[in-house]
Amino acid sequence: MPDTPAEDLVKQWESVQARLRQQLVEEDTEDWQTRPGFLGLQRVGGVDLSFIKGDDVNACAQLVVLSYPGLEMLYEDSQMVTLTAPYIAGFLAFRETPFLLEALQRLQRDQPALLPQVVFVDGNGLFHYREFGLACHLGVLSGLPCVGVAKNLLQVQGVYKNEEHQSQALRSSDRSSKPVYVSVGHKISLDTAVRLTHSCCRYRVPEPIRQADCRSREYLRVRFPAADIGSKQ
């Protein structure tokens, strides 16, 4: 029997993932990553999408850039977007990455001096059952170091491979009893990703992601005051 459209799309996406996976760098590449106190790091980014509950198509795509180590807001970009790719487990990046990448490209075009030196992504990096999560996808396509930070430990289709080398649970704040799960996205080692994540936490979630989440939700609340604002679908 011929493949269904969904099967054809999965095969296409698997091919793209495999090609991008060959470009992934799992090591530190920037001078600031090996310096004491991350000397030379001045700008950290965070990205997220927020939805109106019951609507998994229209969302606010958010990019923030904070100073480092002060974690003060330097730049924000909130855009309403319409997701056209279907949701298929393991391929979330194909729904969300285009809009996050566009936000980074707008910043690079309009205010290149504010481009983040590393981007925190609300989701997994290598710690993903296909070993190529949203943080990897965005990292390779943008060329920027990326760190994946997941709030929940999700396992799909069995256990993760080489789990101990791909992610580390981090109790990021004394105020939180729940860990976050840090994994490599691109151009950063796991040890550096974990230390950097901890240094960016005022609460449980690192500040770049927390601010991206808060500001995208607020953007929706202002524009859709009667709606129930939800987290990422």
Side-chain angles (χ1 to χ4, degrees):
M1 294 181 62
D3 291 339
T4 66
E7 289 172 338
D8 286 341
L9 188 59
V10 166
K11 289 181 179 179
Q12 177 186 339
W13 285 353
E14 285 177 338
S15 177
V16 173
Q17 272 189 344
R19 175 173 55 81
L20 295 177
R21 183 67 177 81
Q22 296 301 311
Q23 302 173 48
L24 186 69
V25 178
E26 303 175 38
E27 301 172 350
D28 293 331
T29 61
E30 314 302 309
D31 288 343
W32 59 262
Q33 293 168 333
T34 58
R35 291 176 176 171
F38 300 117
L39 182 65
L41 177 60
Q42 298 177 319
R43 300 173 306 283
V44 293
V47 293
D48 198 11
L49 269 76
S50 288
F51 294 80
I52 298 172
K53 284 190 176 179
D55 183 346
D56 61 358
V57 173
N58 298 294
C60 175
Q62 184 76 39
L63 165 66
V64 300
V65 182
L66 309 183
S67 65
Y68 187 88
L71 302 178
E72 301 298 328
M73 187 66 61
L74 298 176
Y75 173 88
E76 62 177 305
D77 181 349
S78 309
Q79 294 284 333
M80 285 301 299
V81 299
T82 301
L83 283 67
T84 57
Y87 172 75
I88 300 175
F91 298 95
L92 178 65
F94 288 91
R95 274 175 61 82
E96 299 192 357
T97 299
F99 307 106
L100 303 177
L101 186 62
E102 285 175 4
L104 287 167
Q105 291 171 339
R106 278 194 299 273
L107 174 55
Q108 187 169 31
R109 180 192 67 219
D110 298 336
Q111 300 186 64
L114 293 180
L115 192 69
Q117 294 161 276
V118 60
V119 179
F120 285 88
V121 178
D122 183 10
N124 288 303
L126 281 176
F127 190 53
H128 182 271
Y129 85 92
R130 294 190 58 80
E131 298 186 318
F132 200 82
L134 178 60
C136 299
H137 205 110
L138 182 63
V140 170
L141 290 179
S142 68
L144 296 172
C146 282
V147 178
V149 181
K151 302 182 189 76
N152 301 298
L153 182 61
L154 300 178
Q155 293 192 352
V156 184
Q157 295 185 358
V159 298
Y160 291 107
K161 302 175 183 177
N162 301 320
E163 180 176 316
E164 68 277 12
H165 301 302
Q166 293 189 348
S167 175
Q168 184 169 322
L170 171 67
R171 184 169 179 262
S172 50
S173 168
D174 292 338
R175 306 177 188 182
S176 175
S177 59
K178 294 182 179 180
V180 292
Y181 300 90
V182 181
S183 59
V184 172
H186 184 49
K187 289 186 174 181
I188 195 166
S189 68
L190 180 56
D191 176 70
T192 300
V194 170
R195 290 188 294 111
L196 180 61
T197 299
H198 190 264
S199 75
C200 287
C201 286
R202 290 174 172 168
Y203 304 95
R204 179 190 174 209
V205 176
E207 199 64 11
I209 291 176
R210 194 180 78 85
Q211 288 294 334
D213 176 68
C214 290
R215 289 168 187 265
S216 59
R217 289 170 184 260
E218 182 62 21
Y219 183 91
L220 292 177
R221 286 191 190 100
V222 170
R223 284 154 183 79
F224 305 96
D228 188 4
I229 307 305
S231 59
K232 182 181 292 186
Q233 303 291 300

